[in-house]
Amino acid sequence: MAGRKQFDVDSALDAAMIQFWRAGYAGTSLDDLSHATGLNRSSIYSSLGDKDSLYLRCLDRYATRYGDKYDRALSRASEEPLRAIREFFGVTLARIADPGLPDGCLIAQTAMAIPVLSPEIAARAVEALGFQRARLRKALKAAKLPDADAFAVHIAAVNQSLAVMSRAGAPPKQLRTIVEVSVSALSQALPAD
């Protein structure tokens, strides 16, 4: 339509996601979102929704983007469980190492802020963490791990702690060591062939 400024919704959502990821929900103002997306406030509201709606869209976008990568990493867990778990952690380590992305994890960051978030955002963060555990549980059961439920909780917790520790400045070598300790524990629990 003549006279209307066109913009790429996906690019605007990515920019908003990065802003929320970098500064958190409470630390991100509408002015920050306007600056990040290149949209004025009325365009943000009319095209992307209010701050809560936009944050939920960004959480969903983040969870889908990285959830698909985690699913691919775990897809061969029944044949090569240790490799699958290493690749699962590799998704997180690659994200952490990407200089174009903020440190940490948007889901972990959201979970840590639950006391000050709306019930809907808090529920979405809890749901995303639950999906992570379910994804791991399914893969570990396919690998015939006797303690699949316990290890799914453990690996999900370790994965989230990698994100938190990276945000606190932990060096990559330390993060890889944490991964190797978890993979070693898993290797001892796997049934012998």
Side-chain angles (χ1 to χ4, degrees):
M1 180 180 286
R4 289 193 101 178
K5 183 178 179 183
Q6 300 296 314
F7 68 94
D8 180 1
V9 173
D10 287 333
S11 294
L13 285 172
D14 280 343
M17 181 179 71
I18 295 295
Q19 176 59 42
F20 282 129
W21 188 351
R22 183 174 288 117
Y25 178 86
T28 298
S29 68
L30 283 175
D31 287 339
D32 294 329
L33 291 168
S34 179
H35 180 73
T37 62
L39 302 172
N40 62 38
R41 286 174 175 237
S42 64
S43 293
I44 290 172
Y45 278 112
S46 66
S47 302
L48 303 174
D50 65 9
K51 186 176 171 183
D52 275 13
S53 298
L54 178 54
Y55 195 80
L56 288 168
R57 288 178 75 177
C58 291
L59 273 179
D60 289 345
R61 187 174 191 80
Y62 181 94
T64 298
R65 180 173 295 161
Y66 292 103
D68 290 347
K69 291 179 181 186
Y70 288 129
D71 286 339
R72 282 192 299 278
L74 293 172
S75 66
R76 297 182 46 89
S78 62
E79 298 93 22
E80 300 177 271
L82 295 178
R83 179 178 174 188
I85 295 301
R86 271 196 183 90
E87 288 178 8
F88 170 86
F89 282 127
V91 170
T92 300
L93 294 175
R95 186 187 68 232
I96 288 169
D98 186 335
L101 297 174
D103 288 330
C105 165
L106 184 60
I107 304 288
Q109 182 178 320
T110 304
M112 290 186 294
I114 281 176
V116 298
L117 297 174
S118 73
E120 190 175 4
I121 293 174
R124 191 73 54 89
V126 170
E127 179 182 60
L129 293 172
F131 286 150
Q132 186 79 297
R133 287 188 302 275
R135 167 184 292 121
L136 285 159
R137 187 178 306 109
K138 179 181 175 186
L140 295 172
K141 284 186 177 192
K144 298 183 177 29
L145 182 68
D147 298 326
D149 291 337
F151 267 99
V153 170
H154 171 79
I155 292 170
V158 169
N159 197 53
Q160 294 304 313
S161 73
L162 293 173
V164 172
M165 291 178 71
S166 77
R167 194 157 178 113
K173 182 178 179 182
Q174 185 180 33
L175 300 177
R176 286 191 302 274
T177 299
I178 292 166
V179 167
E180 285 309 312
V181 169
S182 291
V183 171
S184 176
L186 178 62
S187 73
Q188 294 173 26
L190 284 169
D193 290 333

